Amino acid sequence: MSVDLLSLTPDAARVSLQEWLAPRGEPAYRLHQVLPRLWQRPVARWADATDLPAPLRAALDEAFPLPRLTLRTHQVSSDGTEKFLWALHDGEAIESVLIPEGKRRTLCISSQAGCALGCVFCATGRMGFRRNLSAGEIAAQVRELVLRDPALKPTNVVFMGMGEPLLNWDAVDTTLTVLNQPEGLGIGARHITVSTVGILPSLAKFARRGEQFRLAVSLHAPAPALRRELMPIEKKYPLPELMDALQQFRRRVTLEYVLIGGKNDSLETADQLAKLAQPLDALVNLLPLHPGGAPDLTPSTRAQMLAFERRLKQHGVEAVLRRSRGLDISAACGQLRVEVEARAGRGKVRAEEHAHIE
Ligand code: SAH
Ligand code: SF4
């Protein structure tokens, strides 16, 4: 039976490899040749690890095959943002978005195919839930970019693609370790952000991790009634309980807020939001609504977005209005798969295509 080393933490992968190498009579240094090929100096297939004897490479391939994601579509925006649509082994599709910002390169990754939570503004939510990703499939979104020529290693990773990471906690827990550990991808914990609507039991587990991983909470409304209209999860984990949990969280939290015209963008709503953000000393990320997720909702006007931001700042709340490209393209993850499937229906999808977004 084969084992997926890419779905294990580096420590667990080391143990598996050790237990396999030792009875084969391999010298001790083999482990230090093999293990870095998972994440540090990854190979697409064991055959490419040419510093290893050929019979060992063949045996590794049998025992520990390295699963790949298949690139179905690659779009490059004029501002440098890149979207990757990946096919999984069972034909499910997920996407990642790479956003260059100065010296930073932020990769937005998916944790589930689809999402069960049905937020009314979200394209992924409209698809419904397909399945959880394995830890290997989540981290592979980074690994595949490192395997490209030239390598595109992100400096920052955000769980803001498809799915709700805290509804796939076990896999996300392992992925966080893989992303962060030096024997994994070695990305600093403060450069890794989990975004969630606030699944309280897993949020508590996330809070217990010792590393400085960042937390972003999708709030979108400062009052329960309005939030329930936008996000069905409000019925299960109500805002007051979520706020209590965030109060317990030891590190600074980012609140995400998609501005929807006439729904949650009034100045009174900004006042309410400020009351929630102040005691947490939270950073508020204001995102323009990407209209693709919800045909019946309209983005706020530019003037209203600026007024909303100004009002928060008047209350002493740190608020950032995101540009309508960059991060907000990742915020609207789920978009690309919907587009590709619509075009697939018309028979136009090629294996890998380069197009401009917008
Ligand atoms: N499920 C998690 C993480 C994925 S969604 C969560 O909801 O936090 C990542 C971010 O994209 C969330 O803040 C979400 O509200 C935002 N988003 C979803 N649809 C959007 C849209 N149509 N326009 C702008 N942002 C959107
Ligand atoms: Fe799921 Fe997040 Fe989209 Fe809501 S916004 S449907 S939680 S992916």
Side-chain angles (χ1 to χ4, degrees), residues 63-201:
F64 305 109
L66 298 173
R68 298 287 307 274
L69 304 180
T70 310
L71 186 59
R72 261 177 57 189
T73 309
H74 177 205
Q75 293 183 309
V76 184
S77 143
S78 51
D79 70 356
T81 302
E82 298 184 40
K83 284 200 183 197
F84 300 87
L85 181 83
W86 308 104
L88 308 178
H89 63 84
D90 59 355
E92 288 296 340
I94 54 161
E95 65 181 38
S96 333
V97 182
L98 187 68
I99 307 147
E101 313 162 280
K103 282 190 186 154
R104 281 198 292 185
R105 207 155 40 192
T106 301
L107 184 68
C108 166
I109 60 174
S110 298
S111 55
Q112 300 181 314
C115 180
L117 298 185
C119 301
V120 297
F121 45 81
C122 174
T124 307
R126 296 172 82 84
M127 282 171 43
F129 178 67
R130 307 297 295 249
R131 71 169 172 85
N132 275 332
L133 304 189
S134 67
E137 287 169 330
I138 303 174
Q141 295 165 68
V142 185
R143 193 175 193 271
E144 289 293 340
L145 296 197
V146 180
L147 285 174
R148 286 177 81 83
D149 188 15
L152 274 181
K153 186 166 177 187
T155 58
N156 296 60
V157 174
V158 296
F159 286 77
M160 292 187 187
M162 297 166 77
E164 169 48 53
L166 295 190
L167 285 178
N168 186 15
W169 171 249
D170 289 344
V172 168
D173 192 24
T174 301
T175 307
L176 288 170
T177 304
V178 168
L179 293 175
N180 177 236
Q181 283 195 344
E183 282 185 332
L185 286 154
I187 299 170
R190 279 174 303 165
H191 295 160
I192 300 171
T193 302
V194 172
S195 173
T196 178
V197 296
I199 308 297
L200 298 181

Side-chain angles (χ1 to χ4, degrees), residues 51-62:
D51 51 341
L52 300 174
L56 179 61
R57 284 183 261 156
L60 280 166
D61 202 40
E62 237 353 59

